[in-house]
Every structure is written in structure tokens, then in C-alpha cells.
Amino acid sequence: RKEVEQDPGPFNVPEGATVAFNCTYSNSASQSFFWYRQDCRKEPKLLMSVYSSGNEDGRFTAQLNRASQYISLLIRDSKLSDSATYLCVVDPREGGGNKLTFGTGTQLKVEL
Amino acid sequence: DTGVSQNPRHKITKRGQNVTFRCDPISEHNRLYWYRQTLGQGPEFLTYFQNEAQLEKSRLLSDRFSAERPKGSFSTLEIQRTEQGDSAMYLCASSFPGDEQFFGPGTRLTVL
């Protein structure tokens, strides 16, 4: 079993739609959780950290369920510019700064 | 540009040759990481340094791979006797301890 599992997609959605991505992780001792965004042939960039209380950044909402070892990302009012691969990332140590374990990524295509 | 830089951006080599990649981190960052990413997969951790000390190495880092960070600034990753399975994007990232990792643009290696 992979340490971080994601549906690879692609998710094809119309502009303005709401889309949700899910991710599960196997290491129950993991401490920090993130969503990274990766554009085609570019490096990954941090989209947002994920906290147990849930957190929101504009159109993006991330949730963490430690009991189920499950992380989600919700994108509202999708834009064409949201088209990218979204990587679920887990760091087993508090505060990050150590090795990151990435999922395979979920590909999103937002269409007119 | 004060971000993470990597050189070369692309490298094509023949099987059996040695290759060396360089990473220049963000200058204030004392942590430096190497990851490898193959097509359709998320990045996989290889190794990381705090200053000049190599603190952790993945099982993926076979004895053909060696990484150094001699003065705690730039780092090199050398692959000896390259194999076709080494073809991948090699990503470098840097950070402060416990903080966001910033990735460089990567070196794309093709082994013929």
C-alpha cells in the first residue's frame, strides 16, 4: 500500500464548478499535511497547509480527518487557471521541514 | 532571482556514464532536499542536508548515487554508471527547519 493515495483523475470540470479531491495516508503518526500544486513540467509549489480544524484560503478549503487518515481539498468557482496537478503531501514530523511524502497527484482540467 | 536554481535543466546521457547535477538553494536556508519524480508520479524523497551534514537518505538512493553539500551552501548529486531507470526529473528544495520547502525547476535526466 502506498503511503499517500490519491485518485489520479483527470477531473474535467466546467469553469465555475466546485470540485473536491481526496487523499488517504497510511502513517498514523504523520504530523503535518499539505496540498501542493504542480503545473505541467514545472516544480511543485505549496498551495496550503492542512489543519485538523480545517482551513480556507479564498476559493480553496482543506480538511483533515486524523481518525480516518483522510485529507480533502475543495475548490469552489473553478477557474481555467486552476488546471494543474494537485499533490497531497504528508510530513511525518511536526512542523514540516523534513522529508515530504507525496501522493501521485490528481490532475484537474477546468474547461470553458 | 533569489529562488532555488538547478543546473543543468536538461541532461541526456548514455547508459553507463556518470552525471552530476547542481542545486543552489535560497541563500538563507540551511536545509536542502533532493527528490526524484518520474512521469505520472509524485516526487519521491532521496536525501536531505542540514548545513553540510547529510541527515537522512532514502532506500531509493543506491550506492550509485552520492550527494554532497561541502560548505553548507550549494549541493551536488552524482549518479554513477547511469541506468535507463534513472531517467527522471531530479528536484531540489530548500527551507528553514520546520518551514515551507521551496522547489527548484528541476533537472530532467534522460538515459539512452
Side-chain angles (χ1 to χ4, degrees):
Chain A
R1 182 186 174 189
K2 289 187 176 180
E3 291 185 63
V4 179
E5 296 209 49
Q6 294 181 253
D7 180 346
F11 284 58
N12 299 316
V13 301
E15 204 174 14
T18 295
V19 61
F21 304 139
N22 303 317
C23 160
T24 58
Y25 61 95
S26 61
N27 183 354
S28 60
S30 297
Q31 295 292 329
S32 301
F33 309 88
F34 311 93
W35 284 100
Y36 273 70
R37 170 188 170 135
Q38 187 170 29
D39 293 295
C40 188
R41 305 184 82 82
K42 298 282 192 179
E43 71 272 21
K45 293 184 179 178
L46 180 64
L47 178 66
M48 57 197 305
S49 300
V50 188
Y51 305 112
S52 296
S53 54
N55 49 301
E56 187 173 309
D57 182 1
R59 297 180 294 107
F60 298 83
T61 301
Q63 294 275 357
L64 167 65
N65 183 322
R66 284 187 182 272
S68 302
Q69 295 177 206
Y70 171 96
I71 304 163
S72 66
L73 177 68
L74 183 76
I75 305 175
R76 290 181 299 279
D77 188 24
S78 301
K79 311 291 186 191
L80 294 175
S81 58
D82 294 334
S83 297
T85 296
Y86 291 83
L87 297 158
C88 178
V89 186
V90 171
D91 185 330
R93 305 192 190 181
E94 180 134 12
N98 295 317
K99 65 179 186 182
L100 300 178
T101 301
F102 288 79
T104 56
T106 298
Q107 189 178 10
L108 173 64
K109 296 181 180 178
V110 182
E111 303 164 331
L112 287 171
Chain B
D1 186 353
T2 57
V4 179
S5 62
Q6 293 187 246
N7 288 288
R9 295 291 306 277
H10 303 274
K11 178 70 178 178
I12 300 174
T13 191
K14 293 182 179 178
R15 190 176 53 189
Q17 298 294 306
N18 299 344
V19 294
T20 300
F21 312 140
R22 176 177 170 127
C23 171
D24 287 89
I26 293 171
S27 58
E28 304 85 15
H29 288 174
N30 57 358
R31 287 204 174 167
L32 186 149
Y33 310 79
W34 285 99
Y35 294 84
R36 180 174 72 185
Q37 186 173 24
T38 54
L39 196 62
Q41 301 297 316
E44 296 172 294
F45 169 80
L46 293 178
T47 188
Y48 89 95
F49 294 83
Q50 179 153 317
N51 300 313
E52 64 275 10
Q54 190 172 17
L55 295 188
E56 190 168 351
K57 293 194 290 187
S58 161
R59 292 189 303 274
L60 293 174
L61 215 64
S62 76
D63 56 8
R64 295 185 299 106
F65 289 71
S66 62
E68 294 183 345
R69 194 182 183 198
K71 298 182 181 179
S73 57
F74 73 92
S75 176
T76 57
L77 177 68
E78 181 183 16
I79 310 174
Q80 296 183 327
R81 304 181 302 281
T82 52
E83 301 173 356
Q84 288 185 322
D86 297 331
S87 295
M89 174 75 84
Y90 290 84
L91 292 161
C92 175
S94 71
S95 77
F96 292 115
D99 207 352
E100 176 185 351
Q101 292 184 30
F102 291 86
F103 284 80
T107 294
R108 184 171 296 280
L109 172 66
T110 302
V111 181
L112 301 176

